[in-house]
Amino acid sequence: MERTAVNPWEWSIKLGYNQAEVIDGASRQLICAGQTAVDENGAPQHPGDMRAQISLALDNLEAVLNEAEMDLSNVVKLGIYATDVDEALKNFDLMGMRFGPHQVAPPMTLLGVTSLAIRGLLFEIEATAMA
């Protein structure tokens, strides 16, 4: 799979994502449901702690990707939902720490929402991956 960044402007690169990417040579696509800060039984974890919830949601996303024999380098699109966008952005260094080593900056959308499906969750991340 070959990824070609499309950035008519460079401001988003500083924030850790490309405006778009052209994907060539991919043969498999994985659509991931939103991953949150829940344990293996679906119980919410880390109430009130955005940073810990982002970290666990990323752990859960990586677990789904690994089960499909992929990793974060295969992610080509992210959708992120947060109950407090400012607090999520304060902790977006976690995104860079996870995606940076894979040298990818998938296009993403971050939306502020009033609540998520399970009470107490603050952050949800969905992904599309290709291999």
Side-chain angles (χ1 to χ4, degrees):
M1 175 178 79
E2 183 180 331
R3 303 166 75 126
T4 304
V6 178
N7 289 301
W9 320 276
E10 294 190 10
W11 61 264
S12 65
I13 297 168
K14 296 173 193 165
L15 296 174
Y17 69 95
N18 291 314
Q19 290 292 317
E21 291 183 340
V22 175
I23 308 297
D24 288 308
S27 61
R28 293 176 61 224
Q29 184 177 37
L30 177 69
I31 310 297
C32 299
Q35 299 301 306
T36 59
V38 296
D39 65 14
E40 64 276 0
N41 298 311
Q45 303 296 302
H46 312 298
D49 187 339
M50 179 70 78
R51 187 168 188 85
Q53 286 200 17
I54 292 172
S55 183
L56 183 52
L58 287 166
D59 288 347
N60 290 341
L61 175 59
E62 287 191 272
V64 171
L65 291 165
N66 289 336
E67 189 73 15
E69 299 179 355
M70 295 184 185
D71 61 32
L72 293 175
S73 71
N74 297 102
V75 173
V76 297
K77 173 86 172 84
L78 293 170
I80 299 172
Y81 308 91
T83 59
D84 183 337
V85 170
D86 292 334
E87 189 64 23
L89 288 171
K90 286 179 192 173
N91 292 286
F92 253 46
D93 62 307
L94 292 170
M95 300 289 287
M97 290 166 51
R98 298 291 185 97
F99 283 91
H102 296 280
Q103 299 182 332
V104 297
M108 73 172 75
T109 299
L110 170 60
L111 294 173
V113 297
T114 56
S115 65
L116 294 169
I118 299 173
R119 175 166 285 190
L121 292 178
L122 307 172
F123 183 89
E124 185 166 341
I125 184 168
E126 62 184 17
T128 300
M130 293 184 165

